[in-house]
Amino acid sequence: MGYKYLIASLLIGFSGILSAQDKLLSKDDAVSLALENNFGIKVAKNQVAIADNNSGILNSGYLPSLTGTAGATYNEFNSNTEYPGQFESNGDPRADLEINDAESQAYNAGLSLNYTLFDGMGRLYNFKRLKEQYQLSELQARETIENTVLQLFSVYYEIARLTENENVLRQALQISKDRIKRAEYSFEYGQNTKLDILNAQVDVTNDSISLMNTQQSLANTKRDLNVVLNQNLNEKFVVDTLVSFIPKLQLEDYIAQSKENNVAILQTERNLAINDYDIKVNRSGYLPTLGLSGSYGWNLNQSAATSFLPGQIIPGSNRNSYNLALGANLTWNLFDGGGTTVRVKNAKIAYENQEILKEQVSLEVNRDILNALGIYENRLQIFQIQEQNVVTNQNNFERSKEQFQLGRITSIEFRQAQINLLNAQTNKNLAKYDAKLAELQLLQLTGQLLSVEF
């Protein structure tokens, strides 16, 4: 057979033994790993956490603000006062006055409390707006998850297709190897020429190369899936090649409920609610603001010893003071130059634009669903035709094999029957997974991708 052919056969057989020992990665396990480890999903979850923080009571404006202040001052005083030519009342010269290292300190501390009782309802509508923003972020995260799951299965089913193609090519290679043995026996007994052996060897070489290329594509695609799952790139596994399709009546129910479940339509509804609250928040600028304030303060002053008259030192003093203040304030911006009016008008226009966008998205989603349904039904029908085609080619191959063993057809005719069966089997595999992916795309558009069993 040749040294290179022998090495290739051993490598192919050894890789087959290794793959048989790999663990099964089920569809549910793959989805669970993606939900837990996928990079895009992790980022989306963090965005939801940020929106959750923003929608909490701590960011609502309903809580008062409390400010504390404190301070300390230190002062050291040195003074020398001279009285030239001046005398005391008894006629003695007046002595100079000198003060050294006279220290004084001042301390203060205070608390200030402010609370807004009424701000024209702007605080209330902004709080509700943040709640809507949180729900929108959840929908955006759901969209990311749906896209990731769809990406996951596009790779998962490609692995399944290549796995089945590998098995088909293994069978084809084994048939070609058997042909070599048969051709060699027939040549030894003088029933055919050396040409039949050479033709069989060429076919074995071609089948070996096809199998090796498929195995390489399979290994690359498995690494692609490991990236989606965020796990070791060299992680070994096999996938589930069983595929089931959702009954037509159930699909029709999903399509009928698509307006209530499609993530794009739901996002436009949340954006519409946000724009509505924007209008109300801006309208609050027409109303007054009423607030309460309170403060409590403490001051301590410790003065240094000093002198007002020569020879007369007055000792330092301490002074403590406390103050408590309460107040209310009313602010009403009667006219702000028209800024509030402009903001309200612009918010109304943004709301109208969002209504238009909602109609557009709804129409596009309906179109996409009808297109996806047509593609799915077409691919499902092709898959059914390909299944029947495999049966036909299998029967043709079995009869050709019998005729070839009886010597009634040539090796070229037998090879053609083998190639026809091989193409039918690989085309059936392609049609099966194409139909399943089309079904998943349809489920995503109806909003049911995350609620069905895979």
Side-chain angles (χ1 to χ4, degrees), residues 300-366:
L300 172 62
N301 291 297
Q302 295 178 340
S303 60
T306 186
S307 175
F308 294 95
L309 297 173
Q312 187 176 9
I313 304 299
I314 300 176
S317 62
N318 295 336
R319 183 176 65 183
N320 262 322
S321 65
Y322 304 89
N323 70 290
L324 175 65
L326 297 174
N329 58 80
L330 176 68
T331 303
W332 197 341
N333 194 347
L334 298 177
F335 182 70
D336 63 351
T340 300
T341 301
V342 171
R343 287 190 292 271
V344 170
K345 287 182 178 179
N346 289 341
K348 288 181 178 179
I349 294 173
Y351 182 84
E352 292 176 1
N353 286 341
Q354 191 61 42
E355 284 185 318
I356 295 172
L357 180 60
K358 180 182 177 181
E359 293 178 3
Q360 178 185 353
V361 170
S362 179
L363 184 62
E364 290 176 349
V365 167
N366 289 336

Side-chain angles (χ1 to χ4, degrees), residues 237-337:
F237 58 86
V238 294
V239 299
D240 183 6
T241 59
L242 295 177
V243 169
S244 60
F245 295 95
I246 296 176
K248 185 176 181 179
L249 290 177
Q250 190 172 354
L251 274 179
E252 291 176 351
D253 290 339
Y254 290 158
I255 293 173
Q257 301 171 14
S258 60
K259 288 186 177 180
E260 290 80 21
N261 298 315
N262 178 272
V263 68
I265 293 178
L266 293 176
Q267 285 185 57
T268 60
E269 292 176 351
R270 295 282 72 76
N271 280 321
L272 199 61
I274 290 172
N275 287 129
D276 183 45
Y277 285 126
D278 283 339
I279 296 174
K280 295 176 179 178
V281 169
N282 287 313
R283 279 178 177 168
S284 67
Y286 290 126
L287 299 176
T289 300
L290 177 62
L292 295 177
S293 62
S295 63
Y296 177 78
W298 166 76
N299 291 275
L300 172 62
N301 291 297
Q302 295 178 340
S303 60
T306 186
S307 175
F308 294 95
L309 297 173
Q312 187 176 9
I313 304 299
I314 300 176
S317 62
N318 295 336
R319 183 176 65 183
N320 262 322
S321 65
Y322 304 89
N323 70 290
L324 175 65
L326 297 174
N329 58 80
L330 176 68
T331 303
W332 197 341
N333 194 347
L334 298 177
F335 182 70
D336 63 351

Side-chain angles (χ1 to χ4, degrees), residues 124 208 221 249 313 379:
L124 172 64
S208 298
T221 310
L249 290 177
I313 304 299
R379 290 182 178 178

Side-chain angles (χ1 to χ4, degrees), residues 135-249:
Q135 295 183 22
L136 176 62
S137 68
E138 284 188 320
L139 291 173
Q140 291 169 343
R142 173 186 154 187
E143 183 179 22
T144 299
I145 293 173
E146 288 181 355
N147 291 334
T148 302
V149 169
L150 201 59
Q151 178 193 10
L152 163 69
F153 278 109
S154 67
V155 181
Y156 188 94
Y157 286 135
E158 178 64 10
I159 294 174
R161 183 184 74 85
L162 291 172
T163 300
E164 292 195 317
N165 285 355
E166 181 187 19
N167 294 332
V168 170
L169 290 170
R170 284 184 187 280
Q171 295 173 6
L173 178 59
Q174 187 59 47
I175 292 172
S176 297
K177 289 180 180 179
D178 294 340
R179 272 183 56 211
I180 289 182
K181 294 179 181 179
R182 180 176 178 82
E184 289 175 344
Y185 291 150
S186 297
F187 178 75
E188 291 176 0
Y189 289 102
Q191 295 179 354
N192 59 17
T193 64
K194 186 70 173 179
L195 181 61
D196 288 335
I197 298 177
L198 294 175
N199 286 334
Q201 289 177 343
V202 169
D203 293 338
V204 166
T205 300
N206 291 334
D207 291 343
S208 298
I209 292 173
S210 297
L211 178 56
M212 292 174 68
N213 287 335
T214 299
Q215 289 174 335
Q216 182 60 55
S217 298
L218 180 59
N220 293 344
T221 310
K222 284 185 176 181
R223 280 188 281 271
D224 291 339
L225 185 58
N226 284 332
V227 171
V228 176
L229 302 179
N230 186 17
Q231 61 182 5
N232 191 324
L233 294 179
N234 295 319
E235 185 75 21
K236 302 297 183 181
F237 58 86
V238 294
V239 299
D240 183 6
T241 59
L242 295 177
V243 169
S244 60
F245 295 95
I246 296 176
K248 185 176 181 179
L249 290 177

